[in-house]
Amino acid sequence: MRIGCCVNMLAGEEDTTGSRWIPHLKECGYDYVELPLAQVMELPETEFQKLLELLSETGVPCECCNNFFPASVRLTGPDADPAKAEEYMGRAIKRASQLGAKVIVFGSSGAKNVPDGFDMEKAFEQVVFVLKKAGAICRKYGITIAIEPLNRKESNLILNLSEGAALMDAVSMPEVGLLVDYYHYVMEKDTAETLRCVGPRLYHGHFAEPEGRVFPREALSAYKEFFSILRETGYDGRCSIEAYSKAPAADLAIGLRAVRESIS
């Protein structure tokens, strides 16, 4: 299994993508970096080119992007604008391709959360429509989309693996699959049985210690069980640590070691 890191969780006001940590990923031995697409889309072309140069210089590939949509691109509710969403997707997926990404994560709670009083089934249909459009664009670039079930503290639509699989089924495109995030998995009390069922449909994974959503410190038995189930289902793709840290330089190394020991 290839292990990466979502550096947006380590970003600051002057580094909104978290890209300053890419050289540290190289030093620690991460396989790839996962960059936040919505924040990358805010970069002027000159800054985007510098990001591409950094990836080339360090030799750390950007194999995935998270944060697909910014909150300003509404996907559900009466203010949803499919034309605006499609225009954004065209530009964003192109940039993701330039980065080298093979997977784009669709969590995007700010964009997809359903407004109070709006019909949930209608909102679901709106998201299906958007993902069908996104899948068609991704097909041109050889990119897939991984639906990320979130937790109810962050979102009100697609809150567990079963709901994520239902969305995947409704879209029904090979370019659109499923993601399991250990943090959300634990927060929502998802089950090992469900994980075993959806394991063959997983396109990507995220990981963090649920208590505080921080970098793991050691290979706990719960971590080992989680990764053991993934192996049982045949999943051997990518998993990105998506965690906060007050001391990233130290935690990046400690977290990578803990995850690798959990997998072995």
Side-chain angles (χ1 to χ4, degrees):
M1 194 176 296
R2 293 175 64 76
I3 308 302
C5 183
C6 299
V7 290
N8 63 294
M9 304 290 275
L10 310 176
E13 291 183 5
E14 297 182 1
D15 175 30
T16 58
T17 65
S19 60
R20 62 166 291 200
W21 295 104
I22 292 174
H24 292 263
L25 300 191
K26 176 70 172 181
E27 293 172 8
C28 293
Y30 282 82
D31 296 309
Y32 65 90
V33 63
E34 184 165 330
L35 287 166
L37 192 52
Q39 285 72 26
V40 167
M41 289 303 294
E42 295 175 351
L43 297 177
E45 184 61 28
T46 54
E47 294 302 311
F48 180 63
Q49 291 301 319
K50 289 180 182 178
L51 176 57
L52 294 179
E53 291 171 8
L54 177 61
L55 293 170
S56 178
E57 290 168 0
T58 59
V60 177
C62 172
E63 297 183 2
C64 311
C65 289
N66 61 353
N67 290 16
F68 191 177
F69 291 92
S72 59
V73 179
R74 290 294 311 147
L75 304 181
T76 64
D79 296 328
D81 187 339
K84 180 179 179 180
E86 187 168 4
E87 187 276 333
Y88 169 81
M89 287 188 291
R91 293 185 293 109
I93 294 169
K94 180 179 179 179
R95 269 204 171 178
S97 176
Q98 289 176 285
L99 289 169
K102 301 302 180 186
V103 176
I104 297 174
V105 175
F106 176 67
S108 303
S109 58
K112 82 168 192 287
N113 279 355
V114 185
D116 290 343
F118 192 79
D119 184 77
M120 294 297 289
E121 290 187 8
K122 174 62 177 177
F124 184 87
E125 293 170 1
Q126 288 176 314
V127 172
V128 170
F129 180 83
V130 167
L131 288 181
K132 283 180 178 288
K133 292 288 186 180
I137 299 170
C138 282
R139 184 181 303 142
K140 302 175 185 177
Y141 295 97
I143 292 174
T144 56
I145 295 170
I147 298 166
E148 179 179 27
L150 303 176
N151 71 78
R152 66 193 65 243
K153 290 184 178 181
E154 299 179 23
S155 185
N156 60 5
L157 186 67
I158 313 303
L159 302 180
N160 55 51
L161 292 171
S162 295
E163 292 179 3
L167 178 57
M168 179 182 172
D169 287 338
V171 177
S172 189
M173 298 177 70
E175 292 80 15
V176 180
L178 191 60
L179 177 152
V180 60
D181 181 309
Y182 183 72
Y183 168 73
H184 298 301
Y185 172 84
V186 172
M187 290 289 288
E188 283 299 309
K189 297 180 173 60
D190 229 327
T191 68
E193 290 178 310
T194 303
L195 182 56
R196 286 189 175 93
C197 288
V198 303
R201 314 182 76 184
L202 293 175
Y203 283 17
H204 191 40
H206 283 166
F207 193 87
E209 160 53 42
E211 186 65 35
R213 201 175 189 180
V214 295
F215 280 76
R217 308 296 296 180
E218 57 184 312
L220 301 180
S221 58
Y223 303 167
K224 291 182 178 180
E225 179 184 5
F226 174 75
F227 285 110
S228 176
I229 294 171
L230 291 183
R231 287 198 304 272
E232 286 175 22
T233 66
Y235 183 76
D236 191 31
R238 304 177 183 88
C239 185
S240 303
I241 298 177
E242 187 178 39
Y244 295 111
S245 171
K246 294 181 179 179
D251 285 347
L252 282 166
I254 294 170
L256 177 61
R257 182 169 61 250
V259 169
R260 285 196 168 146
E261 289 177 357
S262 300
I263 293 172
S264 63

